[in-house]
Amino acid sequence: MRQFKTSVLVSLTSIFLTGAAYADSLTLSSNDIAHGEFMSKAQEFKGFGCDGGNVSPQLSWSGAPEGTQAFAVFVYDPDAPTGSGWWHWQIVNIPADVNSLPAGAGTPGSGSIPQGSIQIDNDYGTKGFGGACTPKKNGAHRYQFTVHALSQKLELPENASGALTGYMVNAHSLASSTIQALYKRD
């Protein structure tokens, strides 16, 4: 009997894992950045001693789970010497029928963000994308570009903080995918 129970458990586990393998999975890609690779000067901030292009990279995603009502895109540096990391970009309520953002979409006033989307103040104090600007001689930092499929559009107060936005996105995230790019200044 014990062998039968083990066999049934193994079979059920196999069915579950096989089914999961066939399920859509959210995948993030980009023409401008790559996982584990250094970003170009185009993605460096212009200000705070940095003189880059401050251009948000092109991003595309596919495989959103059923029930996705909106998307959010975050860019976060967990290595910033702040004790709490650094929010470089948070854009929420991207419509569910949108699956990409062009390069430069995070530039305030560019008109490139999808209608209905909301850009949150980054840690530079502006709405939109704020590029990499690692302190000199601080080594390489990781920049986590993450897309979240959301179960609903978010209702956020005007001037919501990055922490509150992160909390709400994580509370309603059905799936996420991350490209972790690198940057450093010597």
Side-chain angles (χ1 to χ4, degrees):
M1 183 68 158
R2 181 181 172 126
Q3 185 177 13
F4 174 75
K5 286 180 183 177
T6 302
S7 178
V8 169
L9 181 59
V10 168
S11 294
L12 289 174
T13 302
S14 176
I15 290 168
F16 173 74
L17 292 175
T18 302
Y22 290 110
D24 286 343
S25 61
L26 189 60
T27 303
L28 180 63
S29 61
S30 176
N31 296 328
D32 300 325
I33 60 170
H35 190 77
E37 301 291 326
F38 282 89
M39 294 185 288
S40 75
K41 192 131 174 112
Q43 280 75 53
E44 183 180 280
F45 189 64
K46 186 165 189 74
F48 281 64
C50 292
D51 63 355
N54 202 43
V55 176
S56 59
Q58 180 278 336
L59 299 170
S60 298
W61 52 91
S62 61
E66 189 174 325
T68 298
Q69 299 297 308
F71 293 99
V73 170
F74 285 175
V75 180
Y76 179 71
D77 173 3
D79 302 316
T82 64
S84 60
W86 192 272
W87 288 109
H88 287 267
W89 194 22
Q90 291 179 313
I91 179 172
V92 300
N93 293 344
I94 300 168
D97 62 348
V98 172
N99 63 4
S100 67
L101 295 172
T107 302
S110 71
S112 296
I113 67 166
Q115 188 171 7
S117 302
I118 301 168
Q119 296 193 91
I120 306 301
D121 282 350
N122 59 41
D123 282 341
Y124 294 114
T126 60
K127 291 187 186 310
F129 178 78
C133 188
T134 59
K136 286 188 176 182
K137 301 184 190 280
N138 196 240
H141 284 211
R142 297 167 291 160
Y143 292 85
Q144 298 166 344
F145 292 77
T146 303
V147 63
H148 290 268
L150 303 176
S151 62
Q152 67 181 52
K153 285 190 171 188
L154 303 180
E155 293 183 31
L156 294 168
E158 180 117 6
N159 297 318
S161 69
L164 175 61
T165 303
Y167 176 84
M168 294 300 290
V169 165
N170 285 314
H172 298 286
S173 184
L174 298 171
S176 66
S177 181
T178 300
I179 295 172
Q180 184 169 275
L182 305 170
Y183 203 77
K184 73 175 181 175
R185 292 189 311 146
D186 294 321

